[in-house]
Amino acid sequence: FAEGQRRYAESLSAYARQFLMRMDKPDVDYIHGICPAIAIEQKVSTNSTRSTVGSLTEIADYLRLLFARIGKTFSPISGKEVKKDTVSDVVDFILSLKAAIKVQILVHLKTHFGRSLKEELEILLQKGFSRIYIKVENNNAPLRIESILEENNFAIDLDKSYILIDRIVSKDFDKDEIHRLADSIQTAFYENEGACTIELDHSELHHFNAKFEADGLTFEVPTPNFFSFNNPYGACPKCEGFGQVLGIDPDLVIPNKMLSLYEGAVQCWKGEKMNEWQQNFIHKAAQFDFPIHKPIAKLSEKDLHLLWHGNKQIAGIYDFFKMLEENLYKIQYRILLARYRGKTTCPECLGMRLRKDAHYVKIADKNISELMHMPIDDLKLWFEQLKLNSHDQQIAERLLTEINQRIHTLNAVGLNYLTLSRNANTLSGGESQRIQLTRFLGSNLSDSLYILDEPSIGLHPRDTAQLITVLKALRDLDNTVVVVEHEDAMMYAADHIIDMGPLASHLGGEVIAEGTVKQILENPKSLTGQYLSGKLKIDTLTHKRKPLGKIYLKACAQNNLKQINVSFPLGLICVVSGVSGSGKTTLVKQILYPALQKELNEIADKPGNFEGISGDLKMIQGVELIDQNPIGKSSRSNPVTYIKAWDEIRKLYSKQGLSKIRGYAEKHFSFNTDGGRCDTCKGDGEIIVQMQFLADVHLVCDTCKGQKFKDDVLEITYHQKNIFEILEMSVDEALEFFKEEKKIYDALKPLTDVGLGYIKLGQSSNTLSGGEAQRVKLASYLGKGDAKQKLLFIFDEPSTGLHAHDISKLLKSFNALVEKGHSLIIIEHNTAIIKNADWLIDLGPEGGAQGGYLLYEGVPEGIKNCSKSYTAQYLN
């Protein structure tokens, strides 16, 4: 890929090349037959609240263009289409008339700028107009303006008075006559600020309007930015395009919706003083048939509206908060109000993010927000059934091709349950990876080299099959598809396999086997082949641990979850499985994790929609989410600093004889503080050149030649190695090198235990894949010794990027955590990890609306009898 990128760079301008020519060439003698390369990397999706599935796949951009080009605006009052008439529309209307019809082009007579009628008529005379036409019965003769002024006859009904612009009789007009007609209509539009009237045979009036108006309202002419919530022009003015505002949070006001009003469901109406509001409501409720004993969750829309908004006789919840706001000078009211504030759906746009009038524009009776909130499979069907007239079809054809192509790819990679409005930061790792894929695969390039870094991440084995179909379609377009992958199904589908090894890091780097799957299976040197053929297997634990306690979640209903009750056992390995989109991330990361944080008095996001949490909560002293977000924010952050081993290495170097002579302390061996680090690159080892319209270019620092430290610091050695050479070592090499230094050895050992023996100690954290970053976090906990705190660890697909050989190492690390008394909850698709779990929770059966049901909970072996579960099929 680097060579393909470098060759592309050579085609750019001399200005761009002056930076790019300093890019290092790949360390290779020559590469023959390379084509333009696209790399789809394994990156965790954005955390921006503005980023959505629609914006990531670019479908939203094409939809905005589509609505701006062929959308029709409808008046919210009459429901009629709003049209803007042009001069050519009026000319076409007159040309379509039968012959010998008398046509008068008129505009309403008005007085402007406070003038009298006499002054207005005098100005019209100066402009060259000569007649006024008063539309009254039995009088069709126009009056001359001069005679009106002479006779001082100003008793004219302005509502029925028009300025006569032109008179003609319909016929076959020649070219010059059509020009005259157009000039007259242009004058009429100008004189009456965009309106003109055509009278036929002194009886029939036809009104034309060059303004975008109807029913007394003026509408905006649609443009792409009109439909963008990331643009001030199109965003809802109240929430500025976020869809949420800070207001009274209904979930805080009524935390338990299974209680009735009588049982005290409304939290803010509790207490001696505030209870008066509840009593008043209960006393008057019978007048309006309000059921005070019915749970809030089962109330009708009408009853809910009465409870919140009240009416003239009865005060609702919003009236209560209005009273608080009017008395903010009292501190107790300020505290009470703050207690119920939170992020709530914007009352102006109802969470749609766009300005209200953007929804007046429709295509086939649907506005853009309705399309953005449709599941992808429904959207695909809608576009397939879309019928447009020939004019609109011609305009929209190219846009529809792009939209349909991307929707088809989203469907093909198994994301048919998502909506385009779904926030990017709520997606699981696998979903965001496949959305990346859609963006590139939807472009339909051919003769290109696609490089994919583990596209099966986060995919249930069932969904991997769909992905393989997409990649084969890409190959059939005459592209070369190179996939870095560990998934068995992907290897069996490959036309050609290159197996690297034999082991990792300095023990790897050789091509062990190459050829078809059959050739790999038959090769005795290939570890991959031995796992594929079944000669080597990941050991499965035969004895299952018994739960030491349980945590219960009641009535989980966030996103697609169907009011499910789930129990999570403690003191063992619990796996949550299910097809992509079945609700695993929602259940664990959006409900369980924030709910536990709140129980432990930690700062937390608001949990998703659920009724309550209970059980043996005292058994855990903390909860840790180990996801695939990068470790460290700085480019200087690396694995060895994250696991705190660097402190011991710095201490060791500061104790060397030359360090003591020169007075070097530990800080001189840090690349985060001034002293020993290179002053030019501040310990980064590279300089970043910002390229404005291209990706930033990273260049090796000229001063330290990428070694991060000053020359005199690099002169300090331990066993003939300086501090930079230590950073260049792999973890496995460093373990051998520091075997006499117990503290350093013990700190580094967990990295090998989790299968990261191959990474360099000084490898920048932003070059680690999501799975690697996750395992570095795991290693940091394993290295803490026997911590007294009993923690609950939540892992999000930890098998990401792991070969079968490494998964067996990872399982040993998990068991080590459990032996220390911790509890593990793992979101996972890998069958080897599922088999090694003590407890399994399976969601499904499908993704999206057809998912969110609890199919099974118990020991993994028990799921085999669950016919609805896809997980059961793959375990069998």
Side-chain angles (χ1 to χ4, degrees), residues 260-307:
S260 67
L261 176 68
Y262 191 80
E263 292 167 321
V266 181
Q267 192 73 23
C268 59
W269 284 353
K270 286 185 175 177
E272 196 177 331
K273 181 125 173 50
M274 300 309 168
N275 191 249
E276 291 173 14
W277 287 76
Q278 179 173 317
Q279 294 309 318
N280 287 339
F281 197 100
I282 289 170
H283 289 318
K284 294 178 182 174
Q287 298 173 32
F288 305 99
D289 295 331
F290 183 91
I292 57 171
H293 296 291
K294 201 179 202 179
I296 301 295
K298 294 178 181 172
L299 290 181
S300 66
E301 284 287 323
K302 179 176 158 242
D303 291 334
L304 269 177
H305 188 273
L306 181 66
L307 177 61

Side-chain angles (χ1 to χ4, degrees), residues 643-661:
I643 61 166
K644 303 285 187 271
W646 192 242
D647 298 344
E648 293 299 329
I649 294 172
R650 288 193 293 130
K651 210 175 278 179
L652 177 66
Y653 270 79
S654 67
K655 286 176 184 171
Q656 300 309 305
L658 190 53
S659 289
K660 288 178 178 175
I661 292 166

Side-chain angles (χ1 to χ4, degrees), residues 63-64 66-68 71-76 212 218-237 348-349 352-363 365-372:
L63 276 179
R64 292 192 292 115
L66 189 71
F67 272 80
K72 306 279 188 282
T73 305
F74 292 89
S75 164
F212 208 44
T218 303
F219 297 86
E220 295 286 341
V221 178
T223 62
N225 284 341
F226 186 57
F227 303 103
S228 170
F229 51 76
N230 288 326
N231 189 299
Y233 180 54
C236 162
E348 189 91 4
C349 66
M352 297 294 185
R353 297 175 163 219
L354 290 174
R355 55 191 285 176
K356 196 176 178 183
D357 48 351
H359 298 125
Y360 301 158
V361 184
K362 296 184 179 182
I363 296 174
D365 283 340
K366 294 276 183 212
N367 63 46
I368 193 165
S369 288
E370 287 173 313
L371 297 188
M372 292 287 283

Side-chain angles (χ1 to χ4, degrees), residues 197-443:
T197 304
I198 304 293
E199 188 193 61
L200 306 180
D201 283 341
H202 299 302
S203 56
E204 208 177 313
L205 291 180
H206 291 268
H207 300 287
F208 294 89
N209 198 335
K211 286 182 182 175
F212 208 44
E213 292 179 338
D215 303 328
L217 299 174
T218 303
F219 297 86
E220 295 286 341
V221 178
T223 62
N225 284 341
F226 186 57
F227 303 103
S228 170
F229 51 76
N230 288 326
N231 189 299
Y233 180 54
C236 162
K238 186 160 182 74
C239 65
E240 297 178 351
F242 284 101
Q244 288 188 314
V245 290
L246 197 63
I248 303 305
D249 187 339
D251 293 331
L252 294 175
V253 176
I254 307 176
N256 186 352
K257 294 179 177 56
M258 296 317 288
L259 295 177
S260 67
L261 176 68
Y262 191 80
E263 292 167 321
V266 181
Q267 192 73 23
C268 59
W269 284 353
K270 286 185 175 177
E272 196 177 331
K273 181 125 173 50
M274 300 309 168
N275 191 249
E276 291 173 14
W277 287 76
Q278 179 173 317
Q279 294 309 318
N280 287 339
F281 197 100
I282 289 170
H283 289 318
K284 294 178 182 174
Q287 298 173 32
F288 305 99
D289 295 331
F290 183 91
I292 57 171
H293 296 291
K294 201 179 202 179
I296 301 295
K298 294 178 181 172
L299 290 181
S300 66
E301 284 287 323
K302 179 176 158 242
D303 291 334
L304 269 177
H305 188 273
L306 181 66
L307 177 61
W308 280 92
H309 296 269
N311 58 28
K312 284 178 183 175
Q313 286 90 27
I314 195 165
I317 296 172
Y318 283 133
D319 295 315
F320 170 77
F321 283 107
K322 194 176 172 189
M323 179 276 292
L324 292 187
E325 282 170 356
E326 286 166 0
N327 292 282
L328 284 181
Y329 62 90
K330 296 180 181 176
I331 189 163
Q332 67 268 33
Y333 284 4
R334 289 206 295 278
I335 292 168
L336 195 58
L337 192 62
R339 193 179 295 164
Y340 297 103
R341 277 199 180 282
K343 281 186 181 173
T344 63
T345 303
C346 171
E348 189 91 4
C349 66
L350 304 176
M352 297 294 185
R353 297 175 163 219
L354 290 174
R355 55 191 285 176
K356 196 176 178 183
D357 48 351
H359 298 125
Y360 301 158
V361 184
K362 296 184 179 182
I363 296 174
D365 283 340
K366 294 276 183 212
N367 63 46
I368 193 165
S369 288
E370 287 173 313
L371 297 188
M372 292 287 283
H373 283 76
M374 265 189 201
I376 298 294
D377 42 9
D378 291 352
L379 191 64
K380 181 172 178 277
L381 192 67
W382 188 84
F383 272 106
E384 283 168 359
Q385 294 173 348
L386 180 63
K387 297 275 187 289
L388 297 174
N389 60 43
S390 56
H391 174 259
D392 286 351
Q393 184 65 40
Q394 200 176 346
I395 295 170
E397 196 156 358
R398 189 75 191 90
L399 294 171
L400 289 172
T401 305
E402 292 292 342
I403 291 169
N404 286 324
Q405 180 67 43
R406 281 166 171 78
I407 289 174
H408 174 76
T409 314
L410 272 178
N411 227 33
V413 295
L415 294 176
N416 54 322
Y417 54 87
L418 291 179
T419 62
L420 296 179
S421 59
R422 174 87 173 261
N423 273 9
N425 58 4
T426 64
L427 298 171
S428 68
E431 287 168 337
S432 43
Q433 174 87 348
R434 280 176 289 152
I435 280 170
Q436 283 261 50
L437 208 62
T438 304
R439 207 156 106 199
F440 291 104
L441 306 191
S443 56

Side-chain angles (χ1 to χ4, degrees), residues 411-650:
N411 227 33
V413 295
L415 294 176
N416 54 322
Y417 54 87
L418 291 179
T419 62
L420 296 179
S421 59
R422 174 87 173 261
N423 273 9
N425 58 4
T426 64
L427 298 171
S428 68
E431 287 168 337
S432 43
Q433 174 87 348
R434 280 176 289 152
I435 280 170
Q436 283 261 50
L437 208 62
T438 304
R439 207 156 106 199
F440 291 104
L441 306 191
S443 56
N444 252 348
L445 293 178
S446 60
D447 300 314
S448 298
L449 168 64
Y450 281 90
I451 297 170
L452 289 95
D453 188 6
E454 301 183 49
S456 71
I457 290 168
L459 284 189
H460 192 275
R462 185 201 70 162
D463 302 310
T464 305
Q466 291 175 307
L467 178 66
I468 290 167
T469 311
V470 172
L471 295 181
K472 282 184 173 175
L474 204 57
R475 173 201 65 189
D476 297 340
L477 283 170
D478 293 334
N479 291 302
T480 306
V481 185
V482 177
V483 187
V484 180
E485 190 54 89
H486 299 290
E487 183 67 38
D488 296 2
M490 199 71 89
M491 287 191 263
Y492 278 112
D495 302 304
H496 188 83
I497 296 180
I498 300 165
D499 190 35
M500 304 297 292
L503 295 169
S505 182
H506 62 293
L507 300 173
E510 296 172 38
V511 176
I512 299 299
E514 189 174 356
T516 60
V517 181
K518 191 165 180 276
Q519 288 166 307
I520 301 288
L521 288 170
E522 290 166 359
N523 192 315
K525 287 185 188 172
S526 169
L527 257 181
T528 306
Q530 290 184 51
Y531 275 103
L532 279 177
S533 65
K535 284 179 191 163
L536 283 179
K537 282 185 179 169
I538 297 169
D539 295 332
T540 305
L541 281 177
T542 47
H543 69 284
K544 300 293 181 190
R545 288 170 279 242
K546 293 278 182 280
L548 302 176
K550 281 191 178 180
I551 292 172
Y552 300 93
L553 283 182
K554 192 177 176 190
C556 302
Q558 179 72 4
N559 290 342
N560 66 338
L561 296 177
K562 308 287 192 293
Q563 296 273 341
I564 58 174
N565 301 321
V566 190
S567 61
F568 295 91
L570 297 173
L572 43 71
I573 298 175
C574 169
V575 166
V576 181
S577 66
V579 297
S580 309
S582 56
K584 304 182 298 297
T585 303
T586 302
L587 176 68
V588 178
K589 286 172 76 174
Q590 293 180 25
I591 298 180
L592 177 67
Y593 177 56
L596 281 173
Q597 281 181 304
K598 285 199 164 182
E599 288 293 325
L600 296 163
N601 296 317
E602 294 176 18
I603 295 166
D605 290 335
K606 180 177 144 188
N609 191 358
F610 81 119
E611 204 173 290
I613 183 167
S614 60
D616 304 297
L617 296 166
K618 289 191 171 66
M619 282 186 62
I620 53 170
Q621 282 87 51
V623 57
E624 292 291 342
L625 172 65
I626 303 184
D627 58 12
Q628 296 177 11
N629 286 329
I631 56 165
K633 300 235 170 25
S634 155
S635 57
R636 290 188 293 275
S637 166
N638 56 36
V640 74
T641 54
Y642 190 85
I643 61 166
K644 303 285 187 271
W646 192 242
D647 298 344
E648 293 299 329
I649 294 172
R650 288 193 293 130

